Amino acid sequence: DVLDHDGPHYKYRDVPMVWRPVQKPYPPLWYGLRSTEGHARPARHGMNGVTLGPTDRVASLLKGFREAWKVHANDPLRATSPVKTPIEGMVRAMFIAPSDAEAEAIARPAYKQWFDSLAALWIRRGTYPPISLSADFDAARQSGSLVVGSPDTVKRELQAQVLATGINYLVLQLAFGSLGHDNEMRSLDLFAREVMPSLESIT
């Protein structure tokens, strides 16, 4: 009912905790999976996992995450988590247009603008962002981290990635760079109508 905290930076005494989370005992927590060394913490604490990057990297990280969940099944910290079966998520930048050619013509410059903006401060300091995403449009497509094309192409690529990684949750980056709101909404509509139903049956 009240918070008492005595830490190195902040101290609180008898602070009323008026607002409560809707979820009991607390909302499900998510953990960004970046390395094989990072699996134990979310598994011990009963967190969902999400990651990005090349499809083979996603598959490897999620495999390790699943194994860690088994190893830490009886950890006392897990008992308090609202997550009983973890969500295993994958992040993908995606753009759909009626044809592959149109999708690429719009997405290629948009991806470059997005990545250049993302990496600008690192590049200015002579380094590279510490992420597993490529600056190159074609390399990003080849790795699977960027999915672009007609509804049929995107459906085929995402279905293959779902089967290769075993994910049960897909996080889409639908707006990037110079796509523009109209293109983004058209892409989302095509995804919802022509791609998503096929993914729901295999996740």
Side-chain angles (χ1 to χ4, degrees), residues 2-126:
V2 294
L3 171 67
D4 290 311
H5 174 75
D6 188 2
H9 304 291
Y10 301 99
K11 298 183 189 325
Y12 300 103
R13 290 288 174 269
D14 199 32
V15 178
M17 298 277 84
V18 178
W19 289 351
R20 303 283 178 165
V22 172
Q23 300 96 329
K24 302 295 181 188
Y26 55 83
L29 300 177
W30 286 76
Y31 195 88
L33 304 169
R34 294 189 59 183
S35 69
T36 54
E37 296 78 25
H39 294 138
R41 183 176 187 188
R44 279 198 315 268
H45 289 268
M47 299 179 185
N48 298 312
V50 63
T51 192
L52 50 69
T55 303
D56 56 351
R57 177 182 182 275
V58 170
S60 175
L61 287 173
L62 290 178
K63 180 182 178 190
F65 178 60
R66 289 181 201 109
E67 290 169 357
W69 258 78
K70 292 175 188 171
V71 168
H72 295 281
N74 298 316
D75 194 296
L77 291 170
R78 267 272 278 284
T80 63
S81 172
V83 178
K84 302 310 174 195
T85 301
I87 296 174
E88 301 162 9
M90 173 178 73
V91 179
R92 289 294 180 249
M94 185 201 73
F95 181 70
I96 305 175
S99 71
D100 288 343
E102 181 182 356
E104 180 174 334
I106 295 169
R108 182 177 289 276
Y111 185 81
K112 177 172 177 23
Q113 183 189 64
W114 170 76
F115 198 95
D116 288 350
S117 298
L118 172 73
L121 293 178
W122 279 284
I123 304 274
R124 184 174 177 176
R125 299 290 183 224

